[in-house]
Amino acid sequence: MRKALLRWTALLGVTAVVWAVLAALGLSASALFASLVVAAFFAVRGIGPSRVPKPAGMLAQGILAVSIGLMVDTDTLSALGSAWVPALGVCVATLVVSVAAGFLLAAHKDVDALTGALSMIAGGAQGLVAVTRELGGDERIVAVVQYLRVGLIIVTMPLVATLVFGAGSSSGSARETGGTAWYLDLLVVAACIACGVGVAKLIRLPAPATLGPLAVSMALELSGWIDSVSAPMVLLPIAFVLIGWQAGLAFTRDSVRAVGRVFPYAVVLIAAVGVICALLGLVLSHAAGITLLEGYLATTPGGLSAVLAVSAASGVNVTFVAAVQVVRLVIMLFAAPFGAKAFVALRNRRAKEIGARPKSCRPMTGVSSADDIDR
């Protein structure tokens, strides 16, 4: 017990120091990156805790899901106006492109199809990493590729917006919203998590710790009952740290080498997805009657906070950009668990069919062991 306490204390202390350094350098999502890197280092060196307790991981998923669900208000959705059909079409197209890129990534010997698809889905990086283990994927590869995607987008998006689409600066400021007392916000978040997880388990939703709280918080927000409620800001960094630790502590020396081999392929595919999404932005610009810059920002595959910051600084229609981005994010987080569940069911059925064949009829290549089937 004492040894475990010392390991957790060391992990927390080093994470806090690295987090502070990265935050001082202005790195986006510094809490998440710090916890992932530190936990991975501790795990590979054999000096970290074995894993994050399951209740803590579910709590982190629930906090993140509720914070996203509370973003889906009527004002945001109404900003789409008559352009909701092309906006929705572009969001679905982004999902298709992401999944296709994921299957291309799965052509690499170190990545299975489910992990590849979850790694390349454009949106909700933290949420996807949080549910990957529950869905049966390799959260280590998903974490690295998803954070790589977010990092590349954050770095390149302002440059593309300025050099290609002529984004400038504006003195406009973001819309301010009212708020309730922090303890009321906390009670709403807790209620959404508890009710959401309970109902999701009752009706057997995939990834109940994410989809349940997400659905409940969205329903309450759209009902107008909790217009001024938002997730307390202190909760999100805690959730990010837990999610980062959960993924980082799963690393081993072999998995680090595997991620290194996947890295170059992931960079190429992320760049390809970014280019295709930019082209989808051109389509949305024409269909919705918005500027090319607004179309590009609305369809950027990730980095929501950075997208909104650039939008506000450029003087474009921030509300429209936010609406498309939030719709895309929700679609990705809902589609991923259901798609993964369908894929796993298909994979298991295929594995049973192969196992039922006479031994002489089995192919010499492909799945060779139960371990491979369960990857």
Side-chain angles (χ1 to χ4, degrees):
M1 177 67 71
R2 183 178 180 182
K3 185 177 180 180
L5 180 60
L6 287 175
R7 291 191 173 200
W8 277 112
T9 302
L11 179 63
L12 177 60
V14 177
T15 298
V17 171
V18 176
W19 177 8
V21 172
L22 295 180
L25 295 174
L27 180 68
S28 178
S30 54
L32 188 148
F33 280 98
S35 58
L36 172 65
V37 172
V38 172
F41 176 79
F42 272 49
V44 172
R45 299 294 296 178
I47 58 176
S50 59
R51 62 184 177 85
V52 172
K54 186 175 180 180
M58 294 182 68
L59 176 63
Q61 295 176 45
I63 291 171
L64 186 59
V66 171
S67 67
I68 293 171
L70 295 178
M71 295 169 60
V72 188
D73 56 21
T74 53
D75 290 338
T76 299
L77 295 181
S78 64
L80 295 176
S82 60
W84 69 270
V85 173
L88 183 61
V90 165
C91 292
V92 173
T94 302
L95 174 61
V96 172
V97 170
S98 300
V99 172
F103 281 114
L104 290 177
L105 182 64
H108 193 283
K109 64 184 181 66
D110 293 311
V111 184
D112 63 83
L114 177 60
T115 298
L118 293 173
S119 297
M120 294 302 301
I121 287 180
Q126 297 92 344
L128 289 170
V129 174
V131 303
T132 294
R133 176 182 294 181
E134 192 172 1
L135 297 175
D138 188 335
E139 62 188 317
R140 299 161 300 188
I141 291 179
V142 172
V144 172
V145 175
Q146 283 287 347
Y147 302 152
L148 174 63
R149 173 182 63 81
V150 173
L152 288 176
I153 289 170
I154 290 174
V155 170
T156 59
M157 182 192 52
L159 296 175
V160 174
T162 302
L163 300 177
V164 178
F165 295 99
S169 60
S170 170
S171 59
S173 58
R175 177 176 59 93
E176 295 183 357
T177 58
T180 57
W182 66 269
Y183 53 86
L184 293 178
D185 290 345
L186 190 61
L187 285 174
V188 171
V189 171
C192 287
I193 294 174
C195 294
V197 172
V199 173
K201 286 186 175 181
L202 185 64
I203 62 177
R204 298 183 179 181
L205 277 179
T210 296
L211 291 191
L214 179 63
V216 170
S217 56
M218 283 176 55
L220 287 176
E221 182 67 31
L222 291 174
S223 71
W225 294 348
I226 54 172
D227 281 342
S228 59
V229 171
S230 61
M233 292 301 296
V234 70
L235 292 182
L236 278 178
I238 294 174
F240 290 164
V241 167
L242 289 173
I243 291 169
W245 281 351
Q246 183 174 272
L249 291 175
F251 274 91
T252 63
R253 294 181 187 273
D254 289 339
S255 65
V256 169
R257 286 192 287 268
V259 168
R261 291 192 294 269
V262 170
F263 194 87
Y265 298 91
V267 171
V268 172
L269 289 171
I270 290 169
V273 171
V275 171
I276 294 173
C277 287
L279 295 176
L280 289 174
L282 299 180
V283 174
L284 179 61
S285 171
H286 175 74
I290 58 177
T291 66
L292 293 177
L293 176 59
E294 288 168 342
Y296 168 70
L297 293 173
T299 56
T300 298
L304 178 60
S305 59
V307 169
L308 298 183
V310 172
S311 300
S314 303
V316 302
N317 187 343
V318 181
T319 308
F320 180 86
V321 172
V324 178
Q325 286 283 347
V326 169
V327 169
R328 175 185 58 81
L329 180 61
V330 172
I331 287 176
M332 298 298 176
L333 287 181
F334 266 109
F338 283 105
K341 185 177 181 180
F343 173 81
V344 170
L346 181 63
R347 182 184 63 180
N348 291 341
R349 187 175 67 180
R350 177 61 177 165
K352 289 180 180 179
E353 291 175 354
I354 293 175
R357 295 176 186 173
K359 188 173 182 180
S360 59
C361 296
R362 292 183 185 178
M364 297 297 294
T365 60
V367 177
S368 57
S369 70
D371 289 340
D372 292 330
I373 293 173
D374 293 335
R375 285 183 67 213

